[in-house]
Amino acid sequence: MEKVIIVKNLVKKFESFVANDNLTFDVFRGEIFGFLGANGAGKTTAMKILCGLSQPTSGELSVAGFDVYKQQDKIKANIGYMSQKFSLYEDLTVFENIQFYAGIYGLSNKEIDERALKLIEKLGMQAMRKKLVASLPLGWRQKLSFSIAIIHKPQIVFLDEPTGGVDPITRRQFWDLIYEAANDGITIFVTTHYMDEAEYCNRVSIMVDGRIEALDSPLNLKKQFNAENMNDVFIQLARKSKNKE
Amino acid sequence: MNRFKAFVRKEFYHIFRDKRTMLILFGMPVVQILLFGFVITTEIKDVEIAVWDKSKDEVTQNITNKLLGSGYFKLVKNIDNEQEIYEAFKKGEIKEALIFENNFSKNLNTKNNADIQIITDASDPNIANLIVSYTSAIVYSYTSELNANLKIPMQIKTESTMLYNSEMKSVFMFVPGTMAMILMLVSAMITSIAITREKELGTMEVLLVSPLKVSQIIIGKVAPYVVLSIINVITIIALAMSIFHMPIVGSLSLLIGVSILFIFMALALGILISTVTNDQQTAMMISMFALMLPTILLSGFIFPIENMPKILQWLTIIIPPKYYINAIKDIMLKGSDLSYIWKDVAVLLAMTLILIGLSIKKFKIRLE
């Protein structure tokens, strides 16, 4: 399988604090890769480095086939990003948000119109096209935010706790969108707090105190830790943490 | 270029859809100019005066009567030495003193001219200016009456002295001052709020992940405000000229050029503020205390710098609006050209460059 993210010996230090302690892992094209860990385990730091929001202290990293140190611009054009805040402009309409994000990714007006039409149709948001995002319920915003994050057809999309504050049914619908994107060949790199969501991933890594303590498919992990579900796996690993909250 | 266009268009949506921003952007300049303009141009009535009549003849008596009969002036006391004049001013008993020279009537008849000295309290310069012009006008109308049946015109010269503020530094000062304030408000405060808003919403992260360059994000963010600030400058000048008949003696293009320089300085300040804060509230507070208050209090806009304690005078050296106000005041009221105001412009330019450099550096550090 083709590796779309390669991380070798990634270290990130903030002065004396080591946020990422020698991380090494690969992500394959088209897979849904769950990036798990307790708060402060260092998963957001690692993700920010992969997205180019932060510089690594040392290590070799390649994202979408490009070098993190030298080819930042090319990486940016080939990834999508959705944060837990959904990052839509509330004072812009649904269509204007699509238009804006597609615009800053350099899509032509014709492409923007085509993809916006398709996106709105797919989400069943025709009636809301000209509504301000401020008036949309959280679930709709979340779906819109995700669809916008992949409107430029990136190789990889990074999702930073994308389902925070959303009810289980909406979360389930959201995961349908994620599966669809993965089927289209987009690699999904997702962090989450919800262990039921970890079960939906092809592979998950679990970070504890800046290190990756486990990395495999949910099925194998459950076998390895002799656990009934991912929640048990997570709790067994999280107990190892020295800095408990 | 398409990306940049998409960005700027979005920025305009933000501005035009936020009523508060619109109000500050377009309501504020008009309200401020009208407010300051009307507050300072007050009417005068029953102004307390003292007269030192060294000559005590028919003409001086007539002039005094004419002044008092006009309803604008009220005689508080007659004086016969210089000391008394200053005491009366210090006690605040009078706003104006008139001194008729010796042998007034005689001089007028033999030499065809005579002098009246007018002394006013110019700590409120606008009022002082009005008092002088009213007095001169009345004396002038009296002379015209006298001259009506004379071949060789007689001349009564009025010579005015402004106490406490000899150069009349604040006439129409409200216009440059208001311009500085509005530009600070729009360019620095609104920009810093607009940028921190993106951080608060989490959209800044998404922008930074996108292929947009940091410079494109910053320029896209501030570009609309440059345009709107220039519109504001033009609005203020137009209002000052049309409603308050402010003369603009110097070059209009130089005035706008210096204003654009100041706008860039203010924008850099706004960006700098946005790099040190993460929420809109803090950005607003910092803008208020670090920018608006010094602009109002320490720039010479309302309080003359010469009258400040030494420490505050030193402090004004680092207040950018001081230089801007100085420069545009000279352009507007004295008609100075660049060769005359280059020092102020140079200081502003240096400040602008330093601030831009600093904010770019800070912005990059934040990305770490």
Side-chain angles (χ1 to χ4, degrees):
Chain A
M1 267 190 289
E2 192 195 346
K3 293 172 183 173
V4 75
I5 298 176
I6 304 167
V7 178
K8 272 185 199 153
N9 308 319
L10 165 64
V11 175
K12 174 72 183 182
K13 288 182 189 165
F14 294 101
E15 308 206 337
S16 66
F17 175 70
V18 184
N20 291 155
D21 188 0
N22 229 5
L23 302 186
T24 299
F25 63 92
D26 300 322
V27 178
F28 302 111
R29 186 172 297 283
E31 79 170 331
I32 301 175
F33 188 83
F35 204 56
L36 274 53
N39 285 333
K43 56 186 192 309
T44 304
T45 309
M47 182 145 131
K48 281 193 169 166
I49 290 171
L50 293 173
C51 296
L53 284 173
S54 174
Q55 287 281 325
T57 309
S58 67
E60 281 173 52
L61 294 95
S62 141
V63 175
F66 301 107
D67 184 78
V68 161
Y69 298 96
K70 291 176 201 146
Q71 295 168 299
Q72 202 56 257
D73 290 346
K74 287 192 174 138
I75 293 179
K76 284 184 169 181
N78 284 290
I79 61 171
Y81 174 77
M82 171 188 173
S83 82
Q84 51 195 330
K85 289 179 176 168
F86 303 163
S87 319
L88 298 166
Y89 293 99
E90 297 195 350
D91 53 346
L92 264 56
T93 65
V94 170
F95 178 73
E96 285 161 356
N97 266 289
I98 300 172
Q99 196 184 29
F100 169 68
Y101 281 113
I104 64 172
Y105 276 94
L107 269 59
S108 70
N109 288 340
K110 201 177 141 228
E111 283 172 311
I112 292 174
D113 285 342
E114 277 171 16
R115 293 193 196 177
L117 194 73
K118 240 168 94 183
L119 187 160
I120 289 171
E121 213 169 274
K122 194 176 93 183
L123 295 178
M125 293 181 89
Q126 290 92 335
M128 300 168 212
R129 188 176 177 275
K130 288 189 175 168
K131 283 220 168 107
L132 293 185
V133 165
S135 67
L136 296 187
L138 210 56
W140 283 110
R141 289 192 207 185
Q142 182 197 35
K143 285 179 211 163
L144 181 62
S145 178
F146 177 73
S147 307
I148 286 176
I150 56 170
I151 194 155
H152 56 293
K153 301 187 173 153
Q155 294 188 38
I156 311 161
V157 63
F158 292 90
L159 308 174
D160 187 8
E161 291 174 20
T163 51
V166 179
D167 65 78
I169 297 169
T170 316
R171 249 164 61 199
R172 182 63 241 186
Q173 291 173 346
F174 182 71
W175 274 88
D176 289 340
L177 280 180
I178 293 182
Y179 276 122
E180 215 181 306
N183 277 337
D184 290 343
I186 296 177
T187 308
I188 316 281
F189 188 100
V190 57
T191 71
T192 179
H193 274 312
Y194 299 105
M195 287 307 133
D196 58 325
E197 290 186 351
E199 312 262 2
Y200 304 150
C201 299
N202 298 119
R203 287 192 307 146
V204 294
S205 80
I206 299 178
M207 279 184 79
V208 180
D209 292 346
R211 282 186 302 276
I212 292 181
E213 291 290 336
L215 199 173
D216 212 329
S217 67
L219 194 68
N220 290 342
L221 283 176
K222 281 184 278 189
K223 270 187 205 159
Q224 186 189 332
F225 289 87
N226 200 12
E228 250 180 47
N229 52 36
M230 282 305 293
N231 208 23
D232 289 344
V233 175
F234 187 78
I235 288 168
Q236 284 187 41
L237 283 168
R239 278 208 190 108
K240 287 186 183 174
S241 172
K242 287 174 207 112
N243 41 9
K244 279 188 186 134
E245 284 171 58
Chain B
M1 211 51 218
N2 238 338
R3 298 170 188 213
F4 189 66
K5 235 170 73 189
F7 198 101
V8 173
R9 180 175 50 203
K10 176 212 74 147
E11 216 48 48
F12 274 112
Y13 284 143
H14 289 321
I15 294 168
F16 291 135
R17 285 185 189 166
D18 186 19
K19 289 201 184 84
R20 272 184 308 176
T21 308
M22 285 296 279
L23 204 66
I24 293 178
L25 280 180
F26 297 107
M28 197 80 126
V30 176
V31 172
Q32 295 280 8
I33 266 297
L34 293 180
L35 215 61
F36 279 110
F38 283 119
V39 165
I40 64 146
T41 44
T42 40
E43 264 189 283
I44 66 165
K45 204 185 161 221
D46 287 340
V47 174
E48 294 90 353
I49 62 169
V51 174
W52 179 6
D53 196 341
K54 293 181 185 171
S55 145
K56 291 205 169 80
D57 55 41
E58 194 193 348
V59 179
T60 60
Q61 199 53 55
N62 280 345
I63 292 175
T64 311
N65 287 341
K66 211 158 165 62
L67 279 172
L68 298 177
S70 70
Y72 299 121
F73 302 97
K74 193 171 79 186
L75 185 67
V76 177
K77 54 161 71 167
N78 283 302
I79 294 174
D80 54 16
N81 63 66
E82 208 175 319
Q83 190 58 34
E84 257 185 287
I85 294 177
Y86 293 112
E87 272 168 20
F89 270 117
K90 271 189 185 156
K91 285 184 194 152
E93 290 175 338
I94 56 168
K95 288 266 191 301
E96 181 188 48
L98 292 177
I99 305 171
F100 293 97
E101 67 173 345
N102 281 320
N103 307 320
F104 195 90
S105 173
K106 201 174 136 201
N107 286 346
L108 201 58
N109 285 321
T110 56
K111 299 186 203 158
N112 275 336
N113 75 61
D115 284 346
I116 304 175
Q117 199 191 349
I118 302 171
I119 303 173
T120 49
D121 174 359
S123 55
D124 188 341
N126 306 297
I127 297 283
N129 211 23
L130 278 174
I131 292 173
V132 171
S133 50
Y134 275 64
T135 312
S136 307
I138 290 169
V139 171
Y140 181 76
S141 86
Y142 177 77
T143 334
S144 315
E145 278 172 33
L146 282 183
N147 287 343
N149 33 25
L150 281 179
K151 275 183 191 154
I152 306 157
M154 289 191 288
Q155 212 181 359
I156 300 177
K157 277 196 289 185
T158 55
E159 185 189 301
S160 59
T161 308
M162 302 277 179
L163 285 184
Y164 310 122
N165 183 2
S166 52
E167 282 179 59
M168 285 299 294
K169 282 212 164 152
S170 323
V171 189
F172 287 118
M173 264 302 274
F174 77 99
V175 176
T178 312
M179 276 166 73
M181 205 170 78
I182 297 291
L183 293 181
M184 269 293 188
L185 197 76
V186 172
S187 308
M189 185 158 141
I190 308 250
T191 322
S192 70
I193 292 175
I195 296 178
T196 42
R197 182 164 72 168
E198 299 253 7
K199 287 192 194 172
E200 228 177 273
L201 290 173
T203 44
M204 189 54 100
E205 269 187 346
V206 183
L207 296 180
L208 290 171
V209 172
S210 81
L212 284 176
K213 291 189 174 61
V214 172
S215 57
Q216 282 177 315
I217 297 176
I218 295 181
I219 296 170
K221 215 57 214 168
V222 302
Y225 295 101
V226 175
V227 177
L228 296 174
S229 299
I230 293 173
I231 294 177
N232 271 331
V233 168
I234 294 168
T235 313
I236 294 174
I237 295 173
L239 278 176
M241 288 173 81
S242 61
I243 300 184
F244 299 110
H245 309 292
M246 187 186 74
I248 293 200
V249 192
S251 137
L252 205 58
S253 51
L254 182 61
L255 179 62
I256 290 174
V258 175
S259 299
I260 290 174
L261 178 62
F262 185 69
I263 290 169
F264 279 114
M265 195 284 314
L267 289 172
L269 263 174
I271 296 167
L272 194 63
I273 289 175
S274 71
T275 60
V276 296
T277 73
N278 281 324
D279 62 286
Q280 298 178 65
Q281 285 289 324
T282 322
M284 200 159 100
M285 292 305 280
I286 295 180
S287 305
M288 268 304 200
F289 287 108
L291 303 182
M292 292 313 290
L293 286 181
T295 304
I296 296 171
L297 300 177
L298 293 176
S299 65
F301 166 24
I302 293 180
F303 307 109
I305 292 172
E306 294 83 351
N307 297 357
M308 290 176 190
K310 267 278 175 288
I311 302 175
L312 288 185
Q313 287 196 25
W314 281 102
L315 200 59
T316 63
I317 292 175
I318 56 159
I319 307 289
K322 172 187 157 177
Y323 302 96
Y324 173 63
I325 291 177
N326 248 334
I328 60 169
K329 189 191 66 198
D330 283 356
I331 300 171
M332 284 188 203
L333 305 175
K334 292 188 194 156
S336 312
D337 57 17
L338 194 58
S339 64
Y340 192 83
I341 57 162
W342 70 271
K343 273 186 191 161
D344 288 318
V345 175
V347 174
L348 264 185
L349 189 65
M351 284 178 161
T352 309
L353 293 178
I354 291 171
L355 284 170
I356 289 177
L358 214 61
S359 53
I360 289 174
K361 209 174 143 198
K362 275 267 184 191
F363 209 94
K364 283 198 173 140
I365 288 171
R366 279 208 66 89
L367 292 183
E368 271 301 296

